[in-house]
Amino acid sequence: MKWSEFFVTGEPLIYAADVAIVLTIIGIVFVLTYFKKWKWLWDEWLTTVDHKKIGIMYIICAVLMLFRGGVDALLMRAQLTAPNMKFLDAQHYNEIFTTHGTIMILFMAMPFLIGLMNIVVPLQIGARDVAYPYLNALSFWLFFFGALLFNISFVIGGSPDAGWTAYFPLASNEFSPGVGNNYYAVALQISGIGTLMTGINFLVTILKMRAPGMTLMRMPMFTWTVLITCVIIIFAFPVFTVALALMTFDRLFGTQFFTMANGGMSMLWANLFWIWGHPEVYIVILPSFGIFSEIVSTFARKRLFGYKAMIGSIVGIAFLSFIVWVHHFFTMGAGPAVNSFFSITTMAIAIPTGVKVFNWLFTLRKGKIRFTTAMLWSLAFIPNFVIGGVTGVMLAMAAADYQYHNSYFLIGHFHYVLIAGTVFACFAGVHYWYPKMFGHLLNERLGKWAFWLFMIGFNICFFPMYFLGLMGMTRRMYTYAAGLGWTPLNVVATIGAVLMGIGFIVFCYNIYYSARYGERDMTGDPWDGRTLEWATASPPAHYNFPVVPEVTDLDAYWAMKKNGNGYEVKEEQLEPIHMPSNSGRPFLISIAFFIAGFGLVFKWFTLAIIAAIFIILGLILRSFDDDDGYYISVDEIKRTERLARKGA
Amino acid sequence: MAEAAHRYDETMPLEYRTQESRLNILGFWIFLGAEVALFATLFATYLVLFQRTGSGPTAKELFEVKDVLIETLLLLTSSFTCGLAVFEMRRGRLSGLLTWLLVTLLLGAGFITFEIREFIHYVHEGATMQTSAFLSSFFVLVGTHGAHVSLGIGWMILIIIQLLQRGLTPRTARKVFIVSLYWHFLDVVWIFIFTLVYLTGMVI
């Protein structure tokens, strides 16, 4: 392979990106060396098995990926603003919508929520860490290096260009000859392994590590949604693993799964993809529902309305999520009986979702509502998400879908559910739990500016898309003729996208501003919270709880505050606490995965095999590892706790 | 984890005594649930594609009864000996445990040898992974199972070394128990492969 093929060449934008990447790397290395932070980076972050730090790293990556995916989106909007634009060519546009979709779903939405899960779930259930801290670190680093591998396709070898759904035969060697779709298959595989392990880890954590007294029916709603999400992950991700493996075999080894000749069946890919893909959208929406439930209940100062109905709904949604996948391709021609079945199951999802919407509304009813930034995001979610849901039911009608299919109507629909559902939840959750992560609050004023800019921009951007779709504009077209009458609405949509971009910048500025000037959270309970995470200091000590709390009620911490003085620790109750040791191995194994993946992408099999040997070596070392962790002495706990109390 | 990891329960069998072991065993059961989903997808793919033979041979023309029968006997027996190994472990006999693990391992290796022979035989007849969709799905389904068995053999060797080094402890007992779960699971998957792939293939 020639170097000119290895590096992506010929585009001024790419050269600018090359320069930016090199400068950023030099900058990071310089700062770390100048401030002598290498050891700190290794000891505190790269080798950590602390769920709180892992969660923070997930969220940092997710925000970076939101930036990357957002830039992709703005490039697309720039290209579509006016007819016959020459800003991007067709190939470049294909690559950008592919990476936008893949990154936003798999490297932004999911890690953002997994990050929040990591930080919040052990605290909410009164645990000191997850069930498998070492595995948790490995999950994170596999996600991280999977994301890195996917992102370097931009400058090395070329990006995937067959859409985030990577339908065959388009994604086959015949029609996508470059390495782009190899990146797709391999990078998603690597981060997918991490996700599956997260699913198992949190399922066991929630089932087995709850504080005494916390029965399943006393679990906070966010933890409930995570529990059900884990079940979906465990049954959906293996399907994706197989689908990606078959894709890899087709592309690298010439098998005939999805080919056009020798018996291959390209629609098999579409089926496998969506058997995973539809549950996947519930993997990113159920925890979001959980976040909104926590926030609505806290800031309405009321117990969540219809707790049991909420649980029934999420279980129902999880079940239905596995039997609706054909609605993504009603036009495949499976026949009226099949389409009717999937049409009905799809519409049925609106029932449990509707139950949840009414539960949130009834939680608000007669509540003493405080309009914090987190609450604003949650309140905005309800009407916006309902618009997305209602248009979803329209799409679910198989006969009508022949008109809507792959039009901008669909683009409008799924952005209304994914942004108003998941992205709003991420912002809401970050504002809500920020003090728990960093010990200070995000500035409310800037937070509200970011909220209004983003929320209004979102509606200006995506509402016109419904009409563009009805006017006949189809998805993934890179330009259009002037006479079609689509120009005004496209201009409006671009203005909205710019507003969303400004909202994001204000959010990022808020992170910087609040770190310097933000209000410090001395109490550990800035919102007058209801669940156990607010019983700890902000940020919590490494071991979370000096004494494992006793739970007597659904709103565990609320009950403690009402019936006494909250979560009190007497020094004579203290016992040595056992904690897991840090390990650099998850990081190093994941690097080996990255190198092996890179080798596979370029069919450098020797490199891939050498890296695979290192992976196996890492596993063997782990098997022989008999590190049992360490104990934190009572004296040290006393010191930490006194220090925390002096702060308060 | 926390100090709960060391909550020790004398009344339980050795492999269940520490909290960490209980968590790990439960986690492994759940992992097997994910493996069920994985193999189910491969089976579904195979069932969709198995009559789409293109210009290549059909299942009926291809499969060899004798080799497959030997493979089946070897693997089913190995599952039984693996059960005996855990039985010996519960009785606290290290030597019995090691013997039966070794027998299991050899039977597994025998299974893999015959499977490789079978694959080589097919390839010599011109039936490769690239020939048709049927053969692609056949090789990937059966090959994934074979890769699992090979991994299990490597894993079992590591555990035998640890047993020799450290003897029978709650930790090594848990490892034996988990690898036995894995081994029995592969046996169950093979029963499905035997019926859905080979028996069905030889009839239809």
Side-chain angles (χ1 to χ4, degrees):
Chain A
M1 176 176 267
K2 288 194 277 316
W3 285 110
S4 60
E5 284 172 27
F6 184 71
F7 290 110
V8 179
T9 50
E11 279 277 341
L13 275 174
I14 301 280
Y15 291 131
D18 287 336
V19 174
I21 291 168
V22 171
L23 286 179
T24 312
I25 293 173
I26 293 174
I28 292 171
V29 170
F30 175 77
V31 168
L32 286 172
T33 314
Y34 186 79
F35 291 103
K36 300 198 173 70
K37 287 289 187 190
W38 284 103
K39 194 172 150 42
W40 166 82
L41 181 71
W42 177 259
D43 288 346
E44 295 287 316
W45 297 96
L46 302 187
T47 60
T48 188
V49 293
D50 181 349
H51 68 97
K52 300 179 286 297
K53 284 183 177 166
I54 289 173
I56 287 170
M57 290 193 287
Y58 264 117
I59 291 175
I60 291 171
C61 294
V63 171
L64 288 174
M65 289 294 102
L66 181 58
F67 173 74
R68 160 81 210 266
V71 170
D72 284 346
L74 287 173
L75 291 174
M76 282 191 282
R77 282 318 314 165
Q79 166 67 17
L80 291 176
T81 310
N84 299 316
M85 284 280 277
K86 297 279 185 289
F87 179 59
L88 301 172
D89 61 24
Q91 173 61 23
H92 206 160
Y93 190 84
N94 289 349
E95 292 180 7
I96 285 179
F97 71 64
T98 304
T99 52
H100 169 75
T102 314
I103 285 176
M104 284 301 202
I105 298 269
L106 287 148
F107 299 131
M108 190 286 286
M110 219 167 37
F112 213 128
L113 294 167
I114 291 178
L116 290 172
M117 277 182 207
N118 260 288
I119 291 162
V120 177
V121 166
L123 292 171
Q124 274 197 338
I125 62 173
R128 287 187 173 134
D129 209 321
V130 292
Y132 319 114
Y134 177 95
L135 195 67
N136 200 23
L138 188 58
S139 291
F140 169 74
W141 289 111
L142 284 177
F143 147 70
F144 177 87
F145 283 105
L148 193 64
L149 187 62
F150 189 84
N151 274 278
I152 59 165
S153 68
F154 174 49
V155 289
I156 296 177
S159 297
D161 54 1
W164 90 280
T165 50
Y167 275 3
F168 279 82
L170 180 59
S172 66
N173 280 331
E174 197 179 351
F175 298 104
S176 300
V179 296
N181 277 288
N182 296 353
Y183 270 115
Y184 176 94
V186 176
L188 298 194
Q189 188 72 281
I190 292 173
S191 62
I193 299 168
T195 309
L196 178 62
M197 296 192 309
T198 299
I200 297 174
N201 205 342
F202 277 82
L203 185 62
V204 176
T205 305
I206 295 171
L207 286 180
K208 287 288 166 193
M209 297 182 64
R210 297 189 309 276
M214 184 177 280
T215 57
L216 281 176
M217 296 314 273
R218 280 186 195 155
M219 243 163 42
M221 190 44 65
F222 179 61
T223 301
W224 252 112
T225 56
V226 172
L227 177 76
I228 301 300
T229 304
C230 289
V231 175
I232 305 182
I233 288 177
I234 288 161
F235 288 106
F237 262 80
V239 182
F240 196 42
T241 304
V242 170
L244 288 173
L246 303 187
M247 176 191 246
T248 312
F249 273 105
D250 261 17
R251 289 189 58 87
L252 298 185
F253 307 117
T255 53
Q256 310 283 350
F257 288 104
F258 311 125
T259 52
M260 303 294 280
N262 299 315
M265 190 195 273
S266 52
M267 280 318 286
L268 179 61
W269 165 266
N271 277 280
L272 290 178
F273 180 86
W274 285 113
I275 289 173
W276 160 79
H278 201 84
E280 165 66 16
V281 302
Y282 290 93
I283 291 170
V284 297
I285 203 66
L286 288 184
S288 308
F289 287 170
I291 292 168
F292 293 130
S293 302
E294 299 289 338
I295 291 172
V296 165
S297 165
T298 301
F299 293 116
R301 285 174 160 274
K302 275 180 67 191
R303 181 179 287 243
L304 189 66
F305 184 90
Y307 176 79
K308 285 179 186 163
M310 283 292 212
I311 295 168
S313 310
I314 49 177
V315 173
I317 291 173
F319 171 72
L320 288 171
S321 76
F322 280 94
I323 50 167
V324 297
W325 79 91
V326 172
H327 72 213
H328 294 275
F329 41 86
F330 279 141
T331 52
M332 181 172 92
V338 172
N339 278 2
S340 305
F341 174 81
F342 285 96
S343 192
I344 291 165
T345 51
T346 305
M347 290 182 208
I349 286 194
I351 298 168
T353 316
V355 169
K356 295 182 76 70
V357 168
F358 281 108
N359 280 338
W360 288 310
L361 293 177
F362 281 119
T363 309
L364 290 169
R365 185 173 172 268
K366 290 193 174 174
K368 283 188 187 149
I369 297 174
R370 285 174 290 165
F371 291 96
T372 59
T373 311
M375 186 63 165
L376 286 179
W377 285 109
S378 310
L379 292 175
F381 148 76
I382 297 174
N384 284 309
F385 187 79
V386 167
I387 295 174
V390 169
T391 48
V393 177
M394 290 167 72
L395 284 158
M397 294 182 279
D401 185 64
Y402 274 69
Q403 292 297 314
Y404 306 133
H405 185 76
N406 269 1
S407 72
Y408 262 75
F409 190 85
L410 168 81
I411 304 291
H413 156 70
F414 74 69
H415 282 89
Y416 260 86
V417 281
L418 282 172
I419 294 182
T422 305
V423 178
F424 282 20
C426 292
F427 281 124
V430 160
H431 281 86
Y432 184 58
W433 283 304
Y434 204 80
K436 220 21 73 182
M437 297 193 267
F438 296 105
H440 61 266
L441 284 81
L442 280 173
N443 182 278
E444 282 289 304
R445 199 180 156 79
L446 283 170
K448 283 174 186 170
W449 268 101
F451 163 74
W452 286 109
L453 281 166
F454 195 94
M455 201 274 289
I456 293 171
F458 159 70
N459 275 288
I460 295 176
C461 182
F462 291 102
F463 206 72
M465 291 190 186
Y466 286 122
F467 298 100
L468 282 170
L470 296 177
M471 288 158 81
M473 183 163 167
T474 54
R475 177 186 200 183
R476 291 171 178 166
M477 52 171 33
Y478 85 106
T479 191
Y480 51 92
L484 290 162
W486 299 343
T487 317
L489 286 177
N490 271 305
V491 172
V492 172
T494 304
I495 294 170
V498 171
L499 283 178
M500 291 169 82
I502 297 171
F504 176 73
I505 291 170
V506 175
F507 168 75
C508 292
Y509 176 69
N510 194 3
I511 291 175
Y512 162 78
Y513 179 88
S514 305
R516 292 201 63 170
Y517 310 110
E519 185 191 329
R520 267 40 192 175
D521 172 29
M522 298 304 187
T523 59
D525 182 21
W527 313 118
D528 199 5
R530 312 176 74 84
T531 39
L532 279 180
E533 73 267 33
W534 306 110
T536 60
S538 290
H542 176 44
Y543 46 79
N544 294 351
F545 297 92
V547 173
V548 176
E550 287 272 349
V551 176
T552 55
D553 189 73
L554 165 58
D555 291 322
Y557 186 48
W558 189 258
M560 284 181 194
K561 287 191 283 189
K562 293 301 138 197
N563 303 332
N565 296 326
Y567 168 67
E568 278 186 314
V569 180
K570 296 196 183 69
E571 289 198 341
E572 57 272 18
Q573 286 177 297
L574 294 176
E575 280 172 31
I577 295 173
H578 180 260
M579 295 303 289
S581 310
N582 283 1
S583 171
R585 221 178 292 120
F587 179 71
L588 298 173
I589 290 179
S590 304
I591 290 183
F593 264 99
F594 176 81
I595 296 170
F598 195 77
L600 278 182
V601 167
F602 285 93
K603 298 196 195 181
W604 297 342
F605 293 120
T606 326
L607 179 69
I609 289 168
I610 293 170
I613 290 170
F614 276 95
I615 296 172
I616 293 169
L617 197 70
L619 297 177
I620 292 175
L621 286 174
R622 169 63 177 169
S623 181
F624 280 90
D625 184 2
D626 51 2
D627 186 340
D628 265 330
Y630 63 96
Y631 280 92
I632 304 176
S633 69
V634 173
D635 283 342
E636 199 185 328
I637 304 167
K638 276 185 194 165
R639 241 176 293 138
T640 317
E641 290 301 309
R642 279 181 196 150
L643 215 64
R645 218 163 314 147
K646 212 169 5 169
Chain B
M1 273 216 322
E3 79 286 320
H6 288 235
R7 226 177 281 150
Y8 197 77
D9 188 349
E10 283 287 350
T11 60
M12 305 279 269
L14 197 56
E15 66 271 20
Y16 279 104
R17 284 200 187 154
T18 66
Q19 170 78 359
E20 190 186 0
S21 290
R22 292 193 285 274
L23 288 178
N24 286 7
I25 290 170
L26 175 66
F28 199 79
W29 274 109
I30 295 168
F31 171 73
L32 288 182
E35 288 270 65
V36 168
L38 185 126
F39 276 103
T41 312
L42 286 170
F43 276 113
T45 305
Y46 177 79
L47 292 179
V48 167
L49 297 176
F50 97 100
Q51 285 181 315
R52 301 171 71 95
T53 49
S55 52
T58 63
K60 206 171 185 174
E61 290 162 1
L62 193 66
F63 291 153
E64 296 281 339
V65 193
K66 205 183 84 196
D67 280 8
V68 179
L69 213 59
I70 295 170
E71 284 165 38
T72 308
L73 283 173
L74 286 173
L75 199 67
L76 294 195
T77 316
S78 82
S79 202
F80 178 64
T81 56
C82 186
L84 290 178
V86 172
F87 177 70
E88 290 291 329
M89 182 178 85
R90 288 260 169 103
R91 298 209 302 178
R93 286 200 199 161
L94 184 60
S95 60
L97 167 61
L98 282 168
T99 314
W100 287 118
L101 275 186
L102 214 61
V103 173
T104 309
L105 206 148
L106 290 174
L107 288 168
F111 167 83
I112 288 294
T113 316
F114 272 91
E115 184 160 79
I116 290 172
R117 265 179 42 149
E118 186 200 338
F119 280 12
I120 290 173
H121 174 73
Y122 295 155
V123 171
H124 278 301
E125 288 197 357
T128 67
M129 214 162 131
Q130 288 80 15
T131 310
S132 67
F134 152 61
L135 285 165
S136 299
S137 58
F138 166 78
F139 278 110
V140 169
L141 167 60
V142 182
T144 305
H145 177 266
H148 273 75
V149 175
S150 311
L151 191 95
I153 291 171
W155 185 4
M156 228 179 248
I157 291 172
L158 293 180
I159 290 171
I160 288 174
I161 295 171
Q162 290 176 28
L163 280 171
L164 289 171
Q165 282 178 346
R166 299 169 192 176
L168 206 50
T169 66
R171 185 190 281 264
T172 49
R174 177 237 301 165
K175 289 185 179 191
V176 172
F177 188 73
I178 288 179
V179 84
S180 80
L181 288 180
Y182 180 76
W183 202 261
H184 293 310
F185 167 74
L186 294 180
D187 202 46
V188 173
V189 173
W190 182 259
I191 290 171
F192 279 92
I193 290 180
F194 186 68
T195 41
L196 284 176
V197 176
Y198 290 105
L199 287 187
T200 314
M202 280 180 255
V203 176
I204 300 172

